[in-house]
Amino acid sequence: MAAQLGRRLRKGATSGAVVAAAVAALAASQAPDMIPPAPDNAGGDRAIGAGDAATPPADDSATGDSPYFTELPPLNTPNKPGAPTHLPVITGPAEAGIPASVLSAYKRAEASIRSSDPACNLPWQLLAGIGKVESGQARGGGVDANGTTISPILGPALNGVGFANISDTDGGAYDGDKTHDRAVGPMQFIPSTWATWGQDANGDGKKDPNNIYDAAQAAGLYLCANDRNLALKADLDRAVLSYNRSTEYLNTVLSWFDYYKRGTHQVPDGTGVLPVDRSDDRGRGDRPRTTPPFSPLPTTPPPTTPSKKPVAPEQKPSEPSKPPKPTSPPTDPSKPPTVPPTTKPTKPTPPTTPTVPPAVKVARITPVTTGPLTTTTGNVFGKAPTVAALDASGAPVAGVSIRFEIAGTTDARFAGGATTATVTTGSSGMAASPALRAGEKLGSFTVKATVVTRTLPAAEFTATVTAREADTLTRVGSEVLSATTGAGFTQQVQAKATDKGVLAPGVLVTGEIVTSKTATGPSTDGPYLKGEAGTTARTATFTTDANGLITLSSGALLAGDKAGTYFLKLTANGGGSVFVELTVEAAPTTEPSTPEPTPSATDSPAATSSPSPSSSTSSSSSPSN
């Protein structure tokens, strides 16, 4: 039964009964949320009833209701029924394989749209289902390294012969046809729809319907239009029907959507399963269609009345034969039931035309904030970068997502410590970034503003961070500072910085030894400042602490070797200054004591007053003459 059913559907049957039977069988095995088409769907498999007074134009859909591939997924899903969805599948049926670039484009589109329109709840598997039905995943992944199809994928000319009649809208720029439009690319957009919804998702500066990244992004935005929530079944159905207004199309897409949700695996580009069996019977080998695109409903022949033949006289039947009553023929699931002439088709609610997203309307964004953006380290900038989103006529566009980004080497951040922030424009079309706070790094950086999902030129702002300032510097304490030459000042020196009456932490303060309050440069002698590692100088730089204070501890200021009056001049960045007087006194001097001389042998009293006995004897005994 499954094989017969698959063959019927793959032949592109469009009668309501066949599709309904197929959906019922498929729903029993793998697709519980399928919506069966109306039983009177032979008039073209449209979601709009045959009895409508006025049929909306075909270009109300993304594809212009162009032909699509009708092949259904295998009844055996990649994972067993009841298994959790979204499981990674390394290998599996060939039908579950999606070419690498195509799969990447679907997932990138989902991530992008979930960031800009999270309420839509777009699943990438829905894009995969549409991509399978529209182009067989870009003809099995026949794309180059940038995601552009190796050769264009074009639908038939929409010339009214078996299709809608849509005259050329792009001068043949996308489809090469200057007479009629054709559906273009892996997601089969007609040129007029692409003109509104086209995207540049791969950042190459072009909106190319033949590029799978651009086309997948555009398809996602189109499906999310009109504030749809694709997690709701009704919105999901409306979104798919807006792409191609056919209930068979809806059911085929949803079959693949459910199939892919149960698991897929990646295959190399160019090795995917090629599409077959198109809805206009121009499938494998591009066979020409031999029958009209949609066949009329067959009618049930009237029952045949049995003929009455006279019985020959010589025959005598035991009982007269009566003709049997006509009975209804058995129901054949492959044939639709007879529709009574008086029965009118049910008129489904036609899908609404998608509303163009605000971002698509934007022609440019322009800065609103004027003047320089400056602040000092650690402080909030007084003005926030602000832009306006404008359309081609210069009118403001509300509801546009604007992304602000801090670029350049800086430690400045938005509120919360982030380097990016997304803000939606208001009724005036303007959006301002969150509060921007400077870090400790001095210098300039850039803030860029861009439209989310668009590649319009960015609006840029230059922001500059300068050092903190203090307009007042006062000494703490009034103790006289004095020292003697060659020694150090034992008193502590402390000063407080404020700016507009508020303590100013982190302010640079320059210290300088001068000879007077009017001196224009540092002194060449006298006191000096002792720095780290024992270095000395007559100028030094300090930074105020969290309380706005600088402190020179005892021993940090040396008296030098020349007495006199000097000043320690302290000047804060921002202009505040104070003088601290330093007195250096000469160290006291002392006279050295003179020692008494040591007497020599000839100067002793004994040598001068006491003659030696020998001389005395000799003198006294010398005779007289």
Side-chain angles (χ1 to χ4, degrees):
M1 173 63 185
Q4 284 182 330
L5 180 59
R7 283 196 297 272
R8 287 179 187 141
L9 289 177
R10 283 191 286 272
K11 289 298 181 182
T14 57
S15 68
V18 173
V19 176
V23 172
L26 191 61
S29 62
Q30 63 181 21
D33 289 334
M34 296 284 287
I35 295 180
D40 58 346
N41 203 29
D45 189 42
R46 299 282 288 251
I48 298 175
D52 291 348
T55 302
D59 59 359
D60 280 352
S61 65
T63 64
D65 296 339
S66 293
Y68 55 91
F69 293 98
T70 59
E71 185 176 13
L72 288 172
L75 293 180
N76 294 325
T77 56
N79 292 306
K80 294 181 179 180
T85 59
H86 307 291
L87 294 177
V89 177
I90 307 304
T91 60
E95 293 85 351
I98 300 179
S101 294
V102 179
L103 181 61
S104 173
Y106 296 151
K107 291 185 176 181
R108 182 187 293 186
E110 178 198 74
S112 173
I113 294 171
R114 282 188 182 273
S115 67
S116 61
D117 187 9
C120 176
N121 292 304
L122 172 72
W124 67 262
Q125 292 90 343
L126 179 59
L127 296 175
I130 290 176
K132 176 68 175 179
V133 170
E134 292 294 347
S135 67
Q137 311 299 16
R139 288 202 193 108
V143 297
D144 62 19
N146 293 322
T148 302
T149 56
I150 303 300
S151 59
I153 301 176
L154 297 174
L158 298 176
N159 55 12
V161 181
F163 311 108
N165 189 351
I166 303 179
S167 298
D168 174 63
T169 61
D170 66 331
Y174 293 121
D175 56 13
D177 190 332
K178 295 184 178 181
T179 305
H180 295 91
D181 273 349
R182 298 169 180 256
V184 182
M187 303 303 280
Q188 290 287 278
F189 280 96
I190 56 175
S192 58
T193 307
W194 184 258
T196 299
W197 295 88
Q199 299 293 307
D200 176 18
N202 64 348
D204 63 356
K206 298 182 296 183
K207 299 177 183 179
D208 186 0
N210 295 296
N211 182 277
I212 185 59
Y213 292 98
D214 294 358
Q217 179 84 9
L221 291 171
Y222 187 92
L223 293 168
C224 289
N226 294 327
D227 299 322
R228 294 191 187 105
N229 177 4
L230 301 183
L232 303 177
K233 188 67 171 65
D235 279 4
L236 175 65
D237 292 348
R238 277 191 285 269
V240 176
L241 286 172
S242 75
Y243 215 87
N244 188 311
R245 301 170 304 166
S246 157
T247 48
E248 183 185 357
Y249 179 88
L250 170 66
N251 291 325
T252 306
V253 168
L254 293 184
S255 296
W256 284 105
F257 173 45
D258 185 72
Y259 183 74
Y260 288 139
K261 283 198 299 181
R262 293 187 176 277
T264 60
H265 61 276
Q266 178 177 296
V267 298
D269 288 345
T271 65
V273 177
L274 293 177
V276 295
D277 296 332
R278 207 164 66 175
S279 61
D280 62 342
D281 289 337
R282 299 185 65 88
R284 194 190 309 271
D286 199 31
R287 295 191 301 268
R289 185 173 63 249
T290 58
T291 59
F294 303 108
S295 302
L297 281 172
T299 57
T300 304
T304 302
T305 304
S307 60
K308 297 181 181 179
K309 292 184 179 181
V311 180
E314 63 273 19
Q315 294 178 341
K316 188 176 182 180
S318 58
E319 189 173 336
S321 175
K322 294 182 180 180
K325 293 182 180 180
T327 58
S328 300
T331 302
D332 185 344
S334 66
K335 296 181 180 179
T338 301
V339 180
T342 56
T343 303
K344 291 185 178 181
T346 303
K347 181 180 178 181
T349 303
T352 57
T353 302
T355 302
V356 177
V360 175
K361 301 177 183 177
V362 180
R364 62 188 174 92
I365 55 174
T366 184
V368 174
T369 302
T370 59
L373 294 175
T374 60
T375 192
T376 56
T377 53
N379 288 323
V380 175
F381 283 83
K383 294 182 289 187
T386 304
V387 297
L390 307 175
D391 64 15
S393 67
V397 183
V400 179
S401 295
I402 303 295
R403 184 174 187 265
F404 292 92
E405 178 183 5
I406 298 173
T409 305
T410 181
D411 53 357
R413 295 292 183 267
F414 292 121
T419 58
T420 61
T422 301
V423 181
T424 302
T425 59
S427 58
S428 62
M430 293 193 295
S433 78
L436 180 60
R437 181 179 293 275
E440 295 300 319
K441 187 175 181 62
L442 303 178
S444 298
F445 62 93
T446 301
V447 178
K448 295 182 178 181
T450 56
V451 178
V452 175
T453 73
R454 297 292 303 278
T455 55
L456 297 172
E460 297 187 355
F461 303 84
T462 299
T464 304
V465 180
T466 60
R468 293 187 184 95
E469 297 181 346
D471 56 17
T472 305
L473 198 63
T474 56
R475 182 186 171 192
V476 177
S478 58
E479 185 178 3
V480 176
L481 299 181
S482 62
T484 58
T485 54
F489 289 87
T490 59
Q491 302 92 339
Q492 175 179 274
V493 178
Q494 198 171 48
K496 178 177 66 175
T498 57
D499 190 50
K500 298 178 179 60
V502 179
L503 292 175
V507 176
L508 293 178
V509 176
T510 301
E512 186 178 34
I513 303 296
V514 295
T515 56
S516 69
K517 293 184 178 182
T518 58
T520 57
S523 174
T524 57
D525 50 24
Y528 52 87
L529 298 159
K530 183 177 181 180
E532 296 180 359
T535 59
T536 58
R538 289 190 169 89
T539 60
T541 301
F542 312 95
T543 303
T544 59
D545 61 17
N547 296 315
L549 298 173
I550 61 165
T551 302
L552 281 69
S553 59
S554 173
L557 189 61
L558 305 178
D561 56 3
K562 186 175 181 180
T565 299
Y566 302 89
F567 295 91
L568 170 62
K569 180 182 178 181
L570 298 173
T571 305
N573 182 53
S577 63
V578 67
F579 290 89
V580 179
E581 185 174 340
L582 307 174
T583 302
V584 178
E585 298 176 348
T589 58
T590 57
E591 293 290 337
S593 59
T594 304
E596 294 183 3
T598 302
S600 64
T602 57
D603 293 333
S604 71
T608 57
S609 59
S610 301
S612 65
S614 58
S615 60
S616 172
T617 302
S618 173
S619 172
S620 61
S621 60
S622 62
S624 58
N625 294 320

